[in-house]
Amino acid sequence: MFDSAEFAALREEYLQGARERAGRLREAVAALREGGPVDLRQLRQEVHKLRGSGGFYGFRALSAAAAAAEDALLMVLDGEQERDDHALADLVARVVAEIEAATL
């Protein structure tokens, strides 16, 4: 299955969707760095989707970057860690970088 033309087409479609999602993530990174409002719950949902699906489609580095960002966001949302917008921006920027670096 994973070597089939159908799976290759699914990977391509996934990567196209991830690149579209990267635009929203870039906006969140900019807002975090500029002190603008960011819905951390929504941001966590965005990176959560990439965390699970990235690995399935063979984009392990993307999945790992999304996992790091999601874990940090969860710690902030759960009150286990103080919010540091610059650190969160760096983690989400890494997710964007992995999306941009991903190739078929």
Side-chain angles (χ1 to χ4, degrees):
M1 172 190 165
F2 294 110
D3 293 330
S4 72
E6 291 172 1
F7 187 70
L10 288 173
R11 278 188 84 210
E12 186 174 337
E13 184 178 323
Y14 169 78
L15 195 52
Q16 181 180 353
R19 288 184 175 135
E20 291 171 8
R21 182 171 280 139
R24 293 189 295 275
L25 295 177
R26 275 189 213 90
E27 290 173 6
V29 168
L32 286 166
R33 289 193 171 140
E34 296 168 5
V38 176
D39 183 341
L40 295 185
R41 291 189 191 286
Q42 183 177 14
L43 182 57
R44 190 213 58 90
Q45 289 176 335
E46 288 287 331
V47 295
H48 172 77
K49 293 173 188 173
L50 292 166
R51 178 181 195 165
S53 58
F56 176 78
Y57 286 106
F59 301 107
R60 288 182 178 86
L62 169 56
S63 183
E70 182 183 21
D71 290 346
L73 286 161
L74 282 171
M75 290 179 71
V76 170
L77 290 167
D78 291 343
E80 296 175 28
Q81 183 174 317
E82 189 172 320
R83 181 173 172 163
D84 179 344
D85 283 0
H86 290 284
L88 293 174
D90 289 345
L91 289 167
V92 176
R94 182 69 187 152
V95 175
V96 172
E98 291 299 339
I99 291 170
E100 292 171 346
T103 60
L104 298 172

